[in-house]
Amino acid sequence: MKLIRVNEYADIIRENCMKMIDSALAQPTLSSKFNMNVDLKDVLPILKDKAQLMFSERAYAKLVLLVTHNEKEVAAHGTAFRITDKELGSAFLVDDILVYPQEVTGGTVDSNDAEYGPWMSRLPDEIFNNLRFQAHSHVRMDVKPSGTDLSFYHRMMQTVPNFYIFFILNKRMEMWCEIYDIERNIYFEDGDVDTTVLLGAGDDSVKFLDSIKQNVIPKVYPTWVGGSAAAT
């Protein structure tokens, strides 16, 4: 977890550094060299909480289908929204997944320049304005981003307002995610993001989970205590 624009907190960081210097100068003796180590998570509470990334059931199902039904790398955009709950901090919902025109190989995916622009222009405003999620597969390889991936992310971030989510997954359902929350000035690295899938009350998945609870019951074995059976 990192600050995107450090200068916005320069005064607070400087104040804490000066406290450490004053503490060192207050010692009876002072060596020719001393070290300062400032953990910004101790200074800035905003850096303590993880980001919450939630997928609608349909969005997650589409991602899984996208990966499992393709033997080459494949990419997709997604509509994503900020969840405006102050208690959740940086929380986002990926609501839907859209596959755009692209050319793929076993290890690369590039947008089809001739078709990508027209495809984007045909999107309704409510979808176009909320394309804040980009995912691609690494097929059976590790989900760590490649140098090409990182260069692509860097180029995209030059013009992104509010927030953007980058996501990689593979056929083993291993996942990697980074979130740039421009509004809150926080860059969440992979280990800083908790991911969940939301199940709708009327969805088949919920009914299926309920049927599991109803029908799958732990077996109870009797144990003998003082000559009588007791269930355990």
Side-chain angles (χ1 to χ4, degrees):
M1 195 180 306
K2 300 176 182 177
L3 292 174
I4 297 174
R5 302 175 301 276
V6 179
N7 61 304
E8 293 185 7
Y9 293 94
D11 290 342
I12 298 176
I13 296 171
R14 186 180 296 110
E15 178 183 346
N16 278 268
C17 289
M18 289 306 301
K19 287 180 179 179
M20 296 183 70
I21 293 174
D22 290 341
S23 177
L25 294 175
Q27 301 302 313
T29 59
L30 184 65
S31 65
S32 60
K33 178 171 61 177
F34 71 94
N35 297 318
M36 286 198 309
N37 186 1
V38 180
D39 188 341
L40 292 183
K41 290 183 180 180
D42 294 334
V43 177
L44 304 172
I46 195 174
L47 293 178
K48 290 186 177 181
D49 296 328
K50 288 188 173 185
Q52 306 297 316
L53 178 61
M54 307 175 194
F55 287 91
S56 69
E57 187 171 11
R58 68 171 177 175
Y60 186 74
K62 287 182 178 181
L63 273 181
V64 173
L65 289 172
L66 187 70
V67 174
T68 57
H69 285 256
N70 286 280
E71 290 301 319
K72 300 183 184 300
E73 280 205 12
V74 61
H77 288 319
T79 52
F81 304 87
R82 183 186 295 276
I83 298 175
T84 55
D85 185 335
K86 291 184 178 180
E87 292 185 1
L88 291 177
S90 293
F92 310 93
L93 170 66
V94 179
D95 181 61
D96 201 4
I97 300 297
L98 300 91
V99 180
Y100 55 84
Q102 55 195 270
E103 297 176 342
V104 301
T105 70
T108 63
V109 54
D110 297 295
S111 60
N112 185 318
D113 293 338
E115 298 182 19
Y116 182 75
W119 178 85
M120 290 283 282
S121 67
R122 291 192 296 269
L123 294 175
D125 288 346
E126 62 270 20
I127 293 178
F128 179 85
N129 293 332
N130 290 295
L131 291 179
R132 301 183 183 276
F133 176 87
Q134 200 277 344
H136 74 280
S137 69
H138 272 187
V139 196
R140 293 180 175 82
M141 296 185 294
D142 185 79
V143 292
K144 183 178 179 181
S146 65
T148 301
D149 294 333
L150 295 175
S151 296
F152 171 70
Y153 300 159
H154 179 74
R155 290 196 304 272
M156 285 196 67
M157 290 312 303
Q158 303 307 307
T159 57
V160 167
N162 201 315
F163 72 89
Y164 207 88
I165 303 164
F166 296 106
F167 200 83
I168 303 174
L169 70 167
N170 61 21
K171 287 182 177 292
R172 297 189 295 273
M173 289 297 107
E174 296 169 338
M175 302 175 188
W176 172 95
C177 179
E178 285 189 346
I179 300 176
Y180 289 80
D181 190 346
I182 307 299
E183 182 177 299
R184 298 188 70 224
N185 191 22
I186 308 175
Y187 158 51
F188 293 95
E189 299 173 279
D190 184 44
D192 303 323
V193 182
D194 287 337
T195 302
T196 55
V197 179
L198 302 179
L199 301 179
D203 291 329
D204 288 341
S205 296
V206 173
K207 295 177 182 177
F208 182 65
L209 289 174
D210 287 340
S211 73
I212 294 175
K213 294 177 183 178
Q214 293 172 7
N215 295 298
V216 181
I217 302 172
K219 188 171 183 177
V220 177
Y221 292 93
T223 57
W224 291 90
V225 179
S228 60
T232 60

